[in-house]
Amino acid sequence: MHILYSILGLFAFVRYSIGLLEDVQASLSEQTSFDEYINKSLLWAPYRSNCYFGIRPRNVNKSPFILGLMWFDNSELNALNGIRHFVEQGDKLAKYGWEVYDPRIGGKQIFIDQHNNLNLTVYFTKNHEGDNWAIRVKGEPLDKTKKTTTSVVLYFNQNGEDGISKIVKTLDVDNSLQFEGFSKELGSYELSIRDNHGEYYADPNLPTMEVVSGCDSSRVAHVSLKVPDDNVWMAKDVFNSLLADSVRAIVQEKGTANISPSLNPSLFTIRNLYSFPAGNFHYVQKTFDLSKAGGFEFDVTYNKVNSKEKILSSQKITLLITEALQEVEARFNRHFQIQDEDKEMRVFALETLSNLLGGIGYFHGTQMVDRETTLDDGQYEKIDLANGHEEGPLSLFTSVPSRAFFPRGFYWDEGFHLLQIMEYDFDLAFVIMSSWFDLIEDSGWIPREVILGNEARSKVPEEFTVQNPNIANPPVLLLAFSEMLDKVIGKKENLAINFFGDNRADNFEETSQLENNEELLLVYAKKIYPKLLRHYEWFRDSQRGSIDEWEEVLEDEELSEDISKNEVYSWKGRTIDHCLPSGLDDYPRAQPPDISELDVDALAWVGVMTRSMRKIAHILNFEDDERRYANIESDIVKNLDLLHWSEDNSCYCDLIVNDYSEAREFVCHEGYISLLPFALKLIPLNSPHLPDLINLMGDPQKLLSDFGLLSLSRQDEFFGTKENYWRGPIWMNINYLCLDAIKHYYPEVTNDEIKQMDETSKKAKALYVKLRGNLISNVFRVWKEKGYCYEAYEQNTGDGKSAEHFTGWTALIVNIIGQK
């Protein structure tokens, strides 16, 4: 990738320097390359998505610096029950998440923790070069009448089992600590922890707060020890174990009757009970008295030793924070048009986008793969992937659907995430997409869930940790790449495209280098094309349906000559009750399952892949490939209509061969699957089926609700049954695709001046306006009531359903709000 970006930077410079060829060599040495800019601006961020707050660098794998934040109220004897570390729905925080955030710049994250009586704010910011950063931790009590404490625990580790990488304490004065570190990949750096204000907990009626040597809540506590690099993520477990052992030893020594309740905060202060030798792992614990006015505030700064722009004062941190918050808001306003009077809507949209961006993580480690278990035709029992083995290590830079519930990479979710991210930061979307494409194996397979390392696996039920190279997922990444190509090709050439200045606030276009220069993206497309081709062929081969079961049926129905027998597909790995590969899990399918099943959504997704490959081949001038893809795409469109369109049901349906009549049988369940050929813009602009699909979406007795399009028709026998995951609830990703498709087929729906419209166009416009309004008003309402976006929304009430703080594809609501 470093070579690739260097090439991209060269192309950008040459375009900029037309007419100045005699100065090319001199200018090249001064020009900051695209590669360097990306690496600098995206090096540091809170990339540990599973933590309430956790920092690690991107693309630093052998000796990364890792930092995390924990907190709890240590004034009570049950203090350990309230420690916050990993994002957990069970913690029941009233609210948490980013209010303003951009991984290139920084932002502000808030935590409303009623159990710990704490209103906690964490700011993250970077210098303009991106090599240094600072954290500001600020806390206040939610209820000032309660006598509580907040014990904030920072832990950090300089990974690297090389005997050279290290981080050691060099200064401890008035509760300020300073550390010096070194990493082969990061170089030499300094870490400083300094208080701005706040009082450590002390009872003035006691002569000392030191319950035993080293346990004193009135001073900062520091413990250094050795923790294996692979176990750094278990910082909370190690802390709990050390603290529990310490408390037990103190109680045995002194007895509970001899320990004043006022000493509880000291009792729950970490110490080096076992005299462990110093190591690269450090705990720093600060216990603040929340009954004191003003709460507390302290800063953590990281500075490279040889950096030109160090962060050396609290005033500098304040300035950087102010700049960062203002700049993110300015960028947001530039890309999303929200009326000035909708101030609360703007807050909601900015927060939702910020939390999608705040879920971006960098993952590195091994994954579990079962390459031995095969998927036999006609076997629909639960698949037991019992032959998993560790492979790798691999790396992935990705956003996650939910930091609490799904803090890992999901192949089909990520394409939807990128549809949102590219509207705000085109180049960031490109970098994330390229990271995913780098995972394509020689066989063409990408795992449907990418779970790298023990930290990521700790948040995944064991049954889902192992991946199998026969199981696919909807290739939404190709849909996103297709949209990206459309954006680039549709723009005029921009010669002055390389804006890598120091003043971040003036350079909005710095995040749109690829969008503004076709050649830059074409170089990447040419490089990635062979991998995408392997992925495309793997998907078609692995999910191809069993056409042998259909030979007689097609002959009897006189379809044998008209359809393409190569372009029929079914999801491999479905069970009786679930089709996890489709992404629509419990959506009704043929019952009982049959080897002859052909799935309309599988065919539609192959159509999307084919269209994307055709576009790539076109812009790369691969004429033979382009003709091949065009022919396949044409065959898929024909098969959608000739095979999967049911005249009786007026929608697209799955198929099986009826065992008794030996004829084609439509398996029709009106809902998202019925709409996918339309939602993915595969059917022709003049298709006679368009009126039927508009009617289906606009029918309040079936799919249209006050909260969005239902996943399954109210009239379906399976509506709302069993786990009711995709059997009625409203999902933003498919609603977004349907809204976008309505604009595609009926562009007049967004133009208020067009008065002459046919009947279907009028219905489409009314549907578009109502559906868009319903989605916005409901997601906004739930956010105001609960403080979160959700994975899905209940079909009868519109309330949030399933995972909360789900700002993965639900963040697409920002696109819907910000674009008419």
Side-chain angles (χ1 to χ4, degrees):
M1 291 303 292
H2 293 287
I3 295 174
L4 167 63
Y5 284 131
S6 297
I7 294 173
L8 296 179
L10 175 62
F11 265 78
F13 176 80
V14 170
R15 287 176 54 80
Y16 181 71
S17 303
I18 294 175
L20 302 173
L21 295 179
E22 67 274 18
D23 296 326
V24 166
Q25 293 300 323
S27 298
L28 274 174
S29 65
E30 299 172 2
Q31 182 76 29
T32 304
S33 71
F34 183 75
D35 180 25
E36 291 170 337
Y37 172 65
I38 289 295
N39 286 339
K40 283 184 178 180
S41 64
L42 293 176
L43 172 62
W44 288 106
Y47 288 143
R48 298 179 66 204
S49 309
N50 59 316
C51 296
Y52 282 117
F53 189 84
I55 290 178
R56 64 152 297 146
R58 172 179 167 267
N59 290 347
V60 177
N61 300 323
K62 293 182 179 179
S63 57
F65 171 87
I66 306 291
L67 179 143
L69 180 72
M70 304 187 291
W71 71 88
F72 64 110
D73 174 8
N74 60 353
S75 65
E76 299 291 338
L77 290 177
N78 62 350
L80 294 181
N81 295 331
I83 294 183
R84 312 304 190 202
H85 178 221
F86 287 166
V87 186
E88 302 283 358
Q89 288 191 157
D91 287 345
K92 298 192 182 302
L93 269 63
K95 191 174 178 70
Y96 68 90
W98 294 95
E99 292 187 335
V100 181
Y101 178 73
D102 181 320
R104 296 185 191 268
I105 304 165
K108 172 187 178 184
Q109 188 173 196
I110 58 101
F111 306 93
I112 307 299
D113 186 350
Q114 293 172 327
H115 176 86
N116 287 309
N117 190 33
L118 181 62
N119 181 349
L120 186 69
T121 302
V122 180
Y123 299 91
F124 173 75
T125 190
K126 297 187 273 189
N127 66 352
H128 299 99
E129 288 293 319
D131 54 351
N132 300 329
W133 49 264
I135 305 165
R136 173 161 290 171
V137 181
K138 181 178 181 179
E140 295 178 333
L142 293 171
D143 184 347
K144 296 180 181 179
T145 65
K146 291 183 177 180
K147 294 187 179 298
T148 55
T149 62
T150 288
S151 197
V152 182
V153 181
L154 281 168
Y155 67 87
F156 41 92
N157 185 74
Q158 177 51 67
N159 289 14
E161 297 291 344
D162 51 23
I164 299 175
S165 298
K166 64 180 181 179
I167 182 168
V168 296
K169 187 174 75 171
T170 59
L171 177 67
D172 185 357
V173 178
D174 294 331
N175 291 318
S176 294
L177 283 75
Q178 186 164 316
F179 300 81
E180 291 182 357
F182 175 79
S183 157
K184 281 187 175 180
E185 295 168 284
L186 295 168
S188 297
Y189 59 87
E190 297 170 342
L191 188 80
S192 298
I193 306 171
R194 296 188 179 93
D195 293 345
N196 294 329
H197 64 258
E199 294 189 30
Y200 290 80
Y201 178 80
D203 187 340
N205 298 313
L206 295 177
T208 179
M209 292 303 298
E210 191 173 65
V211 64
V212 294
S213 178
C215 290
D216 184 345
S217 63
S218 67
R219 294 193 55 79
V220 65
H222 168 245
V223 171
S224 172
L225 66 157
K226 295 178 181 179
V227 173
D229 290 348
D230 290 343
N231 298 115
V232 171
W233 65 274
M234 301 178 69
K236 177 184 173 181
D237 300 314
V238 175
F239 182 83
N240 279 350
S241 179
L242 291 176
L243 201 53
D245 286 356
S246 174
V247 170
R248 198 159 30 244
I250 294 171
V251 170
Q252 288 176 352
E253 175 187 342
K254 294 181 172 293
T256 54
N258 297 319
I259 302 175
S260 168
S262 293
L263 289 175
N264 283 347
S266 293
L267 184 66
F268 287 96
T269 297
I270 194 170
R271 59 172 170 151
N272 194 347
L273 175 65
Y274 299 112
S275 300
F276 291 126
N280 282 350
F281 188 96
H282 298 261
Y283 286 113
V284 173
Q285 183 178 2
K286 296 170 175 286
T287 298
F288 294 100
D289 187 344
L290 286 189
S291 68
K292 303 300 183 180
F296 64 87
E297 180 182 287
F298 66 89
D299 294 335
V300 182
T301 56
Y302 173 102
N303 285 299
K304 290 196 68 173
V305 169
N306 60 354
S307 175
K308 298 177 182 178
E309 185 196 359
K310 291 186 177 181
I311 306 172
L312 298 176
S313 68
S314 62
Q315 292 80 8
K316 178 66 173 179
I317 295 172
T318 300
L319 177 62
L320 288 173
I321 289 171
T322 302
E323 283 183 357
L325 298 182
Q326 290 175 347
E327 183 181 349
V328 176
E329 291 208 37
R331 289 187 176 186
F332 176 83
N333 292 337
R334 173 180 170 84
H335 292 286
F336 301 100
Q337 307 304 313
I338 301 176
Q339 298 300 318
D340 290 339
E341 60 269 20
D342 293 334
K343 292 182 180 179
E344 194 172 14
M345 183 69 74
R346 187 192 302 274
V347 170
F348 159 66
L350 176 56
E351 181 179 303
T352 300
L353 173 65
S354 295
N355 278 301
L356 172 64
L357 298 173
I360 293 174
Y362 181 74
F363 301 87
H364 179 79
T366 60
Q367 66 174 344
M368 301 297 296
V369 180
D370 180 348
R371 298 184 185 272
E372 301 173 26
T373 300
T374 57
L375 308 181
D376 298 327
D377 289 339
Q379 189 250 321
Y380 299 105
E381 299 302 318
K382 184 178 178 180
I383 301 167
D384 183 16
L385 300 178
N387 301 301
H389 300 283
E390 281 190 83
E391 297 183 357
L394 300 170
S395 300
L396 180 65
F397 185 53
T398 183
S399 49
V400 303
S402 166
R403 290 167 59 198
F405 211 74
F406 301 111
R408 55 192 183 274
F410 280 77
Y411 175 71
W412 107 284
D413 290 65
E414 193 59 23
F416 290 109
H417 301 164
L418 295 180
L419 289 174
Q420 169 68 77
I421 292 172
M422 75 171 67
E423 294 297 327
Y424 174 77
D425 187 331
F426 190 91
D427 294 349
L428 174 60
F430 161 78
V431 174
I432 292 173
M433 185 179 295
S434 68
S435 183
W436 275 92
F437 287 159
D438 283 345
L439 293 179
I440 297 174
E441 296 187 348
D442 290 342
S443 67
W445 173 62
I446 298 180
R448 59 185 293 269
E449 294 186 34
V450 179
I451 310 165
L452 302 180
N454 290 329
E455 182 169 0
R457 280 193 283 273
S458 71
K459 297 283 287 186
V460 185
E462 187 174 353
E463 61 182 305
F464 296 119
T465 57
V466 180
Q467 304 298 300
N468 182 280
N470 299 301
I471 298 176
N473 234 193
V476 192
L477 280 172
L478 272 294
L479 173 65
F481 194 38
S482 177
E483 296 286 330
M484 185 173 280
L485 293 174
D486 285 344
K487 277 180 170 288
V488 174
I489 295 169
K491 281 185 172 286
K492 293 183 179 180
E493 293 184 352
N494 182 351
L495 294 181
I497 52 91
N498 218 2
F499 302 113
F500 296 115
D502 286 337
N503 191 339
R504 299 178 308 192
D506 292 336
N507 293 331
F508 291 112
E509 295 304 322
E510 68 185 0
T511 61
S512 304
Q513 299 300 300
L514 299 172
E515 186 177 6
N516 288 313
N517 187 344
E518 183 178 331
E519 279 76 10
L520 288 173
L521 194 59
L522 295 191
V523 170
Y524 172 73
K526 189 170 185 177
K527 181 180 178 66
I528 199 64
Y529 181 79
K531 278 197 167 188
L532 292 181
L533 178 58
R534 289 197 295 270
H535 182 46
Y536 173 69
E537 298 296 358
W538 169 82
F539 195 100
R540 293 177 71 223
D541 291 343
S542 65
Q543 307 305 303
R544 185 167 277 117
S546 179
I547 194 63
D548 294 341
E549 308 294 321
W550 286 88
E551 292 290 353
E552 292 186 15
V553 175
L554 297 178
E555 290 285 348
D556 292 344
E557 296 192 25
E558 299 182 350
L559 290 172
S560 189
E561 299 299 321
D562 295 325
I563 70 142
S564 170
K565 297 178 183 178
N566 285 327
E567 305 309 325
V568 293
Y569 297 93
S570 61
W571 296 108
K572 300 305 184 288
R574 72 156 286 196
T575 62
I576 295 173
D577 296 321
H578 291 83
C579 186
L580 296 179
S582 74
L584 303 181
D585 298 13
D586 67 336
Y587 193 99
R589 302 282 179 168
Q591 292 296 343
D594 191 271
I595 193 174
S596 68
E597 180 178 327
L598 300 180
D599 296 321
V600 65
D601 53 330
L603 177 61
W605 283 115
V606 176
V608 166
M609 294 186 84
T610 306
R611 181 176 65 204
S612 299
M613 296 300 291
R614 173 177 57 79
K615 288 181 181 179
I616 300 168
H618 173 74
I619 65 173
L620 294 176
N621 292 318
F622 294 167
E623 295 180 357
D624 290 343
D625 285 5
E626 183 183 0
R627 280 192 292 271
R628 174 178 174 250
Y629 297 133
N631 290 334
I632 295 173
E633 186 178 3
S634 176
D635 289 342
I636 288 171
V637 172
K638 277 197 304 183
N639 280 6
L640 282 170
D641 277 0
L642 292 176
L643 276 178
H644 288 281
W645 179 262
S646 169
E647 292 293 344
D648 291 340
N649 294 277
S650 298
C651 67
Y652 292 98
C653 306
D654 292 343
L655 298 172
I656 60 170
V657 175
N658 188 293
D659 290 337
Y660 299 104
S661 65
E662 296 187 352
R664 176 171 46 158
E665 179 179 325
F666 290 101
V667 181
C668 293
H669 297 282
E670 293 173 322
Y672 289 169
I673 284 179
S674 315
L675 301 174
L676 266 183
F678 167 84
L680 296 174
K681 306 172 188 174
L682 288 171
I683 64 179
L685 288 170
N686 61 351
S687 171
H689 305 319
L690 285 172
D692 289 324
L693 295 171
I694 293 295
N695 287 336
L696 175 58
M697 286 185 286
D699 189 343
Q701 302 302 314
K702 293 184 177 180
L703 298 184
L704 186 62
S705 78
D706 291 338
F707 321 112
L709 292 176
L710 306 177
S711 47
L712 189 64
S713 169
R714 288 186 174 92
Q715 296 181 3
D716 194 278
E717 62 177 308
F718 295 105
F719 178 75
T721 59
K722 293 189 176 180
E723 65 191 81
N724 189 30
Y725 202 40
W726 292 85
R727 295 187 174 190
I730 297 101
W731 294 77
M732 186 58 63
N733 57 339
I734 307 299
N735 272 271
Y736 176 83
L737 291 180
C738 288
L739 269 180
D740 195 48
I742 294 172
K743 284 198 296 185
H744 171 75
Y745 289 105
Y746 301 95
E748 61 271 22
V749 299
T750 61
N751 193 333
D752 296 331
E753 297 180 3
I754 296 178
K755 298 180 180 179
Q756 297 298 321
M757 291 189 290
D758 60 30
E759 199 60 33
T760 302
S761 295
K762 290 179 182 178
K763 288 183 179 180
K765 182 176 179 64
L767 171 62
Y768 181 84
V769 172
K770 185 173 182 61
L771 178 57
R772 179 176 180 271
N774 288 354
L775 289 166
I776 293 172
S777 63
N778 187 62
V779 178
F780 180 53
R781 172 188 67 84
V782 174
W783 173 80
K784 287 202 297 183
E785 293 176 359
K786 302 294 185 180
Y788 300 113
C789 291
Y790 284 80
E791 183 179 1
Y793 292 85
E794 211 276 333
Q795 63 266 29
N796 296 315
T797 65
D799 292 338
K801 180 179 172 65
S802 302
E804 71 178 16
H805 208 303
F806 190 100
T807 41
W809 58 42
T810 304
L812 284 166
I813 194 66
V814 181
N815 279 8
I816 296 171
I817 295 169
Q819 302 168 3
K820 186 174 180 181

